[in-house]
Amino acid sequence: MTKREQGRVNSSRRPGGYTLDTFEDGNAVRRLEAEPQRTREAEPDRLKPQVSRQTRKNRMRATQMGKGYVLFLAVICTAIVGMCVVYLQMQTTITTQTKDIASKERELSDLKADNDAYYNSAIASVDLEAIKDAALNRLGMKYADESQIIYYDTSGSSYVRQYKDVPDAK
C-alpha cells in the first residue's frame, strides 16, 4: 500500500475553479500541487463606454451642494438641536418634580404616622371611668331620664339647626 492509499485523501474546491488534492499522513497534511498564480488581465479600454462631456458636467453638478440646500440643512439642524434642548429641559423638570413629589409623599406619610401615634397616646391616657366618677360624684351630674329628652323631626336633612333656645321641659 502506498502512502497515498494509507492516508485520507481530501479534495477541496478553490475559488478559481480548480481542486486541491491533499492527503493526511499522521498529523501532517501535504500539498500535492502548488496553487496556480492568478493574474488579472487588464480590461480593454474599448469595453468601457465613453462618457460625453455634458454627462460629466451633469454628474459634477449633481455631486455639489447649492447655497439654498446648505441653508435648508442648517435651518433643519438648528431646529433639531433646539428641539433636543427643549426636550432635555422638560425631562429635567419632570424628573425634579417627580423627586419633589416623592419627598413630599414621604413627609406626609411620616406626619400621618406621627399624628396617629399622638392620637393613640391621647386616647390611651384618657380614663373614662375617672371622668364618669368625677361627673357623678364631684360635679353632681346625673343621667338624663325620659322626661328630659325632647325629640325633633329632621324632615329629611341629616342634622338639625337650633335657631332658638330649647323649651323648658318642666
Side-chain angles (χ1 to χ4, degrees), residues 17-63:
Y18 61 91
T19 60
L20 179 64
D21 291 331
T22 60
F23 68 93
E24 297 176 12
D25 184 19
N27 64 355
V29 177
R30 297 189 182 128
R31 294 179 183 246
L32 296 178
E33 298 177 11
E35 292 182 21
Q37 299 246 340
R38 295 181 65 190
T39 59
R40 188 168 186 180
E41 296 179 18
E43 296 178 13
D45 286 340
R46 61 181 162 80
L47 294 179
K48 289 184 182 179
Q50 294 295 325
V51 180
S52 70
R53 186 171 168 241
Q54 185 63 39
T55 305
R56 276 186 267 146
K57 276 186 177 180
N58 288 342
R59 286 182 185 171
M60 291 279 290
R61 200 175 308 139
T63 59

Side-chain angles (χ1 to χ4, degrees), residues 10 13 19 23-24 29-30 60 70 73 86 96 100 106 115 117 122 126 129 144 149 152 154 157 165:
N10 290 332
R13 215 119 326 253
T19 60
F23 68 93
E24 297 176 12
V29 177
R30 297 189 182 128
M60 291 279 290
V70 171
L73 287 179
V86 169
T96 305
D100 289 344
R106 262 192 312 274
N115 191 29
V126 173
E129 288 300 319
I149 299 173
Y152 292 96
T154 61
S157 78
D165 289 337

Side-chain angles (χ1 to χ4, degrees), residues 38-153:
R38 295 181 65 190
T39 59
R40 188 168 186 180
E41 296 179 18
E43 296 178 13
D45 286 340
R46 61 181 162 80
L47 294 179
K48 289 184 182 179
Q50 294 295 325
V51 180
S52 70
R53 186 171 168 241
Q54 185 63 39
T55 305
R56 276 186 267 146
K57 276 186 177 180
N58 288 342
R59 286 182 185 171
M60 291 279 290
R61 200 175 308 139
T63 59
Q64 294 175 355
M65 292 191 287
K67 292 178 184 178
Y69 185 66
V70 171
L71 181 65
F72 170 75
L73 287 179
V75 169
I76 294 297
C77 289
T78 304
I80 289 173
V81 167
M83 288 189 323
C84 288
V85 167
V86 169
Y87 173 75
L88 289 175
Q89 287 175 343
M90 289 173 59
Q91 189 175 18
T92 304
T93 303
I94 289 172
T95 303
T96 305
Q97 289 175 350
T98 304
K99 287 180 182 178
D100 289 344
I101 289 171
S103 69
K104 296 293 183 186
E105 285 176 348
R106 262 192 312 274
E107 183 181 348
L108 178 64
S109 175
D110 292 343
L111 290 174
K112 281 185 178 180
D114 290 345
N115 191 29
D116 289 344
Y118 290 138
Y119 176 77
N120 289 335
S121 68
I123 292 297
S125 69
V126 173
D127 185 14
L128 295 178
E129 288 300 319
I131 292 173
K132 179 181 173 184
D133 183 50
L136 292 175
N137 296 330
R138 219 172 9 141
L139 299 174
M141 298 177 116
K142 58 184 177 180
Y143 286 105
D145 58 0
E146 273 305 313
S147 65
Q148 293 175 320
I149 299 173
I150 301 173
Y151 295 98
Y152 292 96
D153 183 23

